[in-house]
């Protein structure tokens, strides 16, 4: 194409396939190449005016049968390139079981993909199916207002995928964040129960396997949820997250939550102190034991016998000393 510079990465070991990106020759571009051909992904940095950070554009093709090792290589690349630059990522990821609207997936690889999207603060912007009723082609941005005017249109040539048209804005628009979420305070649970009761569960689930039955059940529940639970907008003038909360501190916070999730304060065995009028009750054993009990580790609290409980408490107290 005249007036454009082409960047491409061809698939190895077969004829045809790969990804390509056309950029106007008037733009200053730099390709990032890690030399690993197992990942069908292309990264190009488009430089902007002086004293302004550039925009990183990624194009990816993920084969339907790609193994977990290649997926992890891609996730590693994505984590490295999205550290500081504004990022726009597009491509055919071949994950038909991913529901971006509810952030759910059926397969393990698809759930790992959603986890990576969350870790890198990416927002998926395509809302319509792109191939035979499935949403395979996705468009991500890591900053609000960076991409606009997203439309799913006609097909190009003999392709069986719909085209996705969008605009990468020169300046990130500072707009109010309006994240849609379910408003259970205004939910009609009577309607919810009524709609669920209308489904002949025994008849429709008869003869289905476990996975097939679960897929059908989840699909029907989501349909009922759309009718009975309204949506609301979570509005924030500061955007989707704090400016200083980039990927590294966010991962540390998530790691901390995982470490502390098995402690007593997070399980159902925590003891709550009641209200009393006389201060003398503070010295009762039943009141004094509450704080030490709530500080115990979850393994100690959930011991199956008194002997095991004593041994585990001794370990905890030894570590505390």
């Amino acid at each position: 194409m005249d007036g454009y510079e082409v960047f491409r990465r061809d698939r190895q070991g077969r004829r045809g396939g790969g990804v390509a990106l056309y950029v106007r020759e008037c733009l200053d571009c730099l390709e990032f190449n890690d030399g690993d051909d197992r990942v069908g992904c292309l990264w190009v940095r488009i430089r902007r005016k002086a004293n302004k950070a550039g925009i990183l554009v990624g194009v990816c093709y993920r084969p339907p049968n790609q193994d977990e090792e290649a997926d992890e290589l891609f996730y590693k690349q994505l984590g490295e390139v999205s550290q500081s630059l504004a990022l726009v990522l597009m491509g055919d990821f071949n994950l038909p079981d991913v529901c971006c609207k509810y952030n759910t997936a059926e397969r393990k690889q698809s759930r790992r993909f959603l986890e990576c999207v969350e870790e890198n603060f990416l927002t998926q912007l395509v809302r319509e199916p792109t191939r035979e009723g499935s949403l395979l082609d996705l468009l991500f941005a890591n900053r609000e207002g960076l991409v606009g005017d997203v439309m799913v249109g006609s097909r190009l040539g003999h392709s069986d995928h719909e085209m996705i048209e969008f605009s990468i804005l020169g300046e990130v628009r500072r707009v109010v964040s309006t994240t849609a979420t379910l408003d259970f305070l205004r939910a009609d649970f009577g309607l919810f129960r009524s709609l669920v009761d209308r489904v002949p569960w025994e008849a429709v689930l008869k003869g289905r396997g476990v996975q097939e039955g679960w897929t059908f059940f989840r699909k029907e529940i989501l349909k009922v949820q759309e009718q009975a639970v309204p949506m609301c907008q979570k509005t924030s003038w500061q955007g989707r997250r704090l400016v200083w909360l980039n990927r590294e501190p966010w991962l540390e916070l998530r790691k901390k939550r995982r470490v502390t999730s098995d402690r007593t304060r997070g399980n159902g065995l925590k003891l709550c102190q009641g209200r009393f009028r006389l201060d003398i009750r503070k010295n009762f054993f039943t009141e004094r034991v509450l704080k030490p009990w709530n500080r115990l580790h979850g393994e100690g609290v959930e011991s199956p016998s008194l002997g095991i409980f004593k041994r585990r408490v001794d370990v905890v107290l030894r570590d505390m000393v």
Side-chain angles (χ1 to χ4, degrees):
M1 294 175 60
D2 296 335
Y4 286 84
E5 181 180 1
V6 60
F7 300 89
R8 57 187 293 177
R9 172 164 291 192
D10 300 329
R11 293 182 64 182
Q12 302 297 318
R14 57 162 290 176
R15 180 181 179 183
V19 293
L21 178 67
Y22 288 83
V23 183
R24 288 185 180 273
E25 292 180 346
C26 60
L27 299 175
D28 187 9
C29 301
L30 176 65
E31 180 181 1
F32 291 175
N33 190 353
D34 63 349
D36 197 328
D37 296 328
R38 289 176 292 177
V39 180
C41 197
L42 176 68
W43 306 98
V44 177
R45 177 181 178 180
I46 302 177
R47 293 191 177 95
R48 299 163 67 186
K49 299 178 182 179
N51 301 325
K52 292 185 179 180
I55 298 177
L56 187 66
V57 179
V59 185
C60 178
Y61 175 73
R62 179 189 177 279
N65 58 346
Q66 181 164 285
D67 55 26
E68 295 184 8
E69 182 180 358
D71 283 343
E72 291 300 327
L73 290 174
F74 167 70
Y75 301 149
K76 182 180 179 181
Q77 286 185 14
L78 180 59
E80 293 173 352
V81 301
S82 63
Q83 289 292 326
S84 58
L85 293 176
L87 172 66
V88 177
L89 174 63
M90 69 201 83
D92 180 4
F93 292 88
N94 280 304
L95 296 170
D97 61 314
V98 169
C99 178
C100 296
K101 181 178 180 180
Y102 298 105
N103 199 38
T104 59
E106 299 176 9
R107 298 187 299 116
K108 177 182 177 182
Q109 284 182 277
S110 302
R111 292 192 295 270
R112 177 68 182 96
F113 174 79
L114 290 176
E115 183 179 344
C116 177
V117 169
E118 184 182 33
E119 290 176 354
N120 292 280
F121 300 104
L122 300 179
T123 302
Q124 207 285 119
L125 303 172
V126 181
R127 299 289 180 256
E128 303 175 32
T130 58
R131 182 179 184 271
E132 298 179 357
S134 299
L135 182 55
L136 302 181
D137 305 278
L138 306 176
L139 172 64
F140 297 95
N142 66 346
R143 298 185 185 180
E144 188 174 5
L146 180 61
V147 174
D149 306 324
V150 180
M151 295 185 299
V152 178
S154 58
R155 300 177 181 181
L156 179 64
H158 298 286
S159 174
D160 57 352
H161 290 247
E162 303 290 338
M163 289 193 303
I164 301 175
E165 299 182 34
F166 60 93
S167 301
I168 300 179
L169 307 177
E171 297 289 342
V172 177
R173 296 175 181 172
R174 297 185 179 275
V175 296
V176 180
S177 174
T178 54
T179 303
T181 185
L182 295 170
D183 187 359
F184 287 99
L185 294 177
R186 297 190 295 120
D188 188 346
F189 291 104
L191 175 62
F192 190 97
R193 286 191 293 268
S194 175
L195 294 175
V196 171
D197 291 339
R198 293 178 186 177
V199 181
W201 295 107
E202 293 186 5
V204 297
L205 294 178
K206 186 177 181 180
R208 297 176 183 263
V210 175
Q211 185 61 42
E212 185 182 2
W214 162 248
T215 302
F216 178 83
F217 173 78
R218 183 174 65 87
K219 183 179 180 181
E220 292 299 318
I221 291 298
L222 291 178
K223 289 181 180 178
V224 173
Q225 178 181 273
E226 290 182 356
Q227 299 181 54
V229 184
M231 303 291 292
C232 65
Q233 302 292 334
K234 294 177 61 177
T235 304
S236 170
W237 288 95
Q238 298 180 356
R240 297 179 61 247
R241 59 184 173 88
L242 299 175
V243 176
W244 57 267
L245 185 59
N246 56 24
R247 184 171 182 269
E248 293 184 3
W250 186 86
L251 291 177
E252 292 298 325
L253 289 173
R254 197 176 75 161
K255 185 186 300 183
K256 179 181 178 182
R257 287 196 297 268
R258 288 179 175 177
V259 171
T260 59
S261 62
D262 62 342
R263 302 209 176 253
T264 306
R265 59 179 145 178
N267 61 41
L269 300 179
K270 179 180 177 182
L271 299 177
C272 298
Q273 190 174 37
R275 296 182 179 181
F276 43 84
R277 297 174 59 185
L278 300 177
D279 291 341
I280 192 173
R281 287 199 58 183
K282 295 180 179 179
N283 299 322
F284 289 1
F285 173 79
T286 54
E287 301 295 338
R288 290 186 288 112
V289 75
L290 293 182
K291 290 184 179 179
W293 174 268
N294 290 339
R295 293 195 188 104
L296 290 178
H297 195 277
E299 294 181 358
V301 174
E302 299 172 2
S303 301
S305 66
L306 181 59
I308 297 177
F309 172 76
K310 290 180 179 180
R311 290 196 295 270
R312 291 180 177 177
V313 170
D314 290 340
V315 173
V316 173
L317 293 178
R318 184 174 66 248
D319 294 340
M320 292 176 62
V321 175

